[in-house]
């Protein structure tokens, strides 16, 4: 697929997330519901990336960054591409202090996830450490999947 095709997929996904958040805000509040902004969108995008585990995410981001005409990454497509890149970067840098959780609790949560995923042959997140630009560290496109070690999260 072309870089444009990949940007269209990102755009469609992000629009869907935005519409779902907007619909939820309308149903959950009084008339004149607040606009959905980055404060609501970014955590939802991070969640979607974690739950959907897009195949070859890093290489797709790199491919778009390298081959999509920068003039075509303005406005909404550029904004959503930047938000996706930022979400991936956040996930890669995730540690206990970043989310204000005691380190022991964070490590226990990672260990519990590893144990649960070890028995799931269909799970594939690709965490092991291929460094990549514009992001690096925990998310990868290859290899057997595991949750990162604490050392990988600190890269």
């Amino acid at each position: 697929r072309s870089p444009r095709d990949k940007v269209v997929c990102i755009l469609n996904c992000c629009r869907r997330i935005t519409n779902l958040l907007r619909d939820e805000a309308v149903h959950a509040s009084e008339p004149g519901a607040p606009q959905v902004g980055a404060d609501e969108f970014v955590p939802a995008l991070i969640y979607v990336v974690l739950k959907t585990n897009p195949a070859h995410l890093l290489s797709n981001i790199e491919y778009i960054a390298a081959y999509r005409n920068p003039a075509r990454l303005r406005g909404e497509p550029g904004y959503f591409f930047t938000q996706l890149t930022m979400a991936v970067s956040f996930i890669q840098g995730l540690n206990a202090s970043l989310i204000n959780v005691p380190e022991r609790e964070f490590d226990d949560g990672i260990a519990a996830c590893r144990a649960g995923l070890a028995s799931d042959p269909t799970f594939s997140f690709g965490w092991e450490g291929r460094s990549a630009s514009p992001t690096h560290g925990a998310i990868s496109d290859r290899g057997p999947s595991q949750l990162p070690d604490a050392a990988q999260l600190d890269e």
Side-chain angles (χ1 to χ4, degrees):
R1 294 186 181 225
S2 72
R4 179 192 176 281
D5 293 339
K6 294 176 184 295
V7 169
V8 168
C9 288
I10 293 167
L11 189 60
N12 289 337
C13 175
C14 290
R15 284 178 177 166
R16 184 161 292 182
I17 292 168
T18 300
N19 289 338
L20 289 170
L21 290 171
R22 189 175 297 125
D23 290 348
E24 182 60 30
V26 167
H27 293 299
S29 66
E30 301 295 320
Q35 293 290 323
V36 174
D39 288 344
E40 295 80 23
F41 176 77
V42 172
L45 181 60
I46 291 168
Y47 178 80
V48 167
V49 169
L50 288 169
K51 292 300 276 184
T52 60
N53 180 24
H56 309 291
L57 181 57
L58 282 181
S59 61
N60 280 308
I61 288 172
E62 291 172 354
Y63 178 65
I64 292 166
Y67 296 107
R68 183 68 174 148
N69 182 343
R72 300 287 186 186
L73 280 177
R74 293 190 178 147
E76 190 178 42
Y79 173 77
F80 285 140
F81 178 69
T82 300
Q83 295 303 312
L84 175 62
T85 302
M86 183 188 67
V88 169
S89 182
F90 174 82
I91 293 166
Q92 288 179 302
L94 192 58
N95 62 43
S97 64
L98 187 61
I99 57 174
N100 202 23
V101 172
E103 193 164 333
R104 177 72 181 165
E105 183 179 338
F106 182 82
D107 292 341
D108 289 348
I110 293 291
C113 288
R114 278 195 186 111
L117 295 174
S119 63
D120 183 357
T122 63
F123 183 81
S124 170
F125 203 83
W127 286 96
E128 56 288 333
R130 173 180 158 269
S131 288
S133 178
T135 57
H136 67 282
I139 295 178
S140 171
D141 286 332
R142 61 188 165 102
S145 94
Q146 302 171 11
L147 286 174
D149 292 328
Q152 287 176 300
L153 289 173
D154 293 332
E155 290 180 348

